[in-house]
């Protein structure tokens, strides 16, 4: 803009990981005080429903708790041609096998 307002400005905005640091500090304080965490509540409710045979409710809670327990898998991109089989390559590395262990190796002196 002609007046110089708007757009990106160096140094503006929230600094990276600011929220994550505050959240981690709160979680650490709660854990140190021996208080139950929201994730623990979710897991307890999930187990209770599962043990009572209410798998639909247990599954719903498990779905909500999963992101806190398991990292998401990264998306992958297939760069080959559509309809063409993937090539599988096997790499074999030949490494020399020593005839005798070094003199300072525990097995060099033989069985004890």
């Amino acid at each position: 803009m002609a007046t110089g307002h708007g757009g990106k400005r160096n140094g503006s905005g929230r600094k990276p990981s600011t929220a994550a640091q505050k959240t981690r500090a709160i979680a650490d304080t709660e854990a140190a005080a021996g208080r139950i965490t929201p994730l623990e509540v979710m897991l307890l409710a999930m187990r209770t429903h599962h043990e009572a045979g209410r798998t639909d409710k247990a599954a719903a809670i498990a779905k909500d708790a999963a992101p806190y327990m398991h990292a998401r898998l990264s998306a992958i991109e297939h760069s080959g041609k559509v309809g063409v089989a993937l090539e599988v390559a096997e790499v074999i590395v030949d490494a020399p096998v020593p005839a005798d262990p070094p003199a300072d190796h525990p097995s060099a002196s033989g069985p004890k």
Side-chain angles (χ1 to χ4, degrees):
M1 294 184 146
T3 60
H5 295 286
K8 181 178 178 181
R9 296 179 310 280
N10 290 332
S12 66
R14 184 186 303 191
K15 305 300 178 240
S17 77
T18 301
Q21 290 173 356
K22 289 180 182 178
T23 303
R24 182 78 262 147
I26 292 168
D28 290 344
T29 302
E30 290 297 306
R35 296 188 183 108
I36 190 167
T37 66
L39 178 59
E40 291 171 325
V41 171
M42 293 171 74
L43 295 175
L44 178 63
M46 179 189 70
R47 289 186 192 110
T48 302
H49 285 301
H50 185 265
E51 290 168 1
R54 297 183 296 266
T55 55
D56 55 335
K57 290 184 180 184
I61 296 171
K63 181 179 177 183
D64 293 338
Y68 301 100
M69 302 288 294
H70 309 288
R72 289 185 84 145
L73 297 176
S74 297
I76 61 169
E77 180 180 336
H78 173 59
S79 60
K81 295 180 181 178
V82 175
V84 177
L86 294 174
E87 288 185 30
V88 178
E90 184 176 351
V91 178
I92 299 174
V93 178
D94 290 328
V97 178
D100 295 316
D104 61 341
H105 192 272
S107 65
S109 62
K112 294 182 180 180

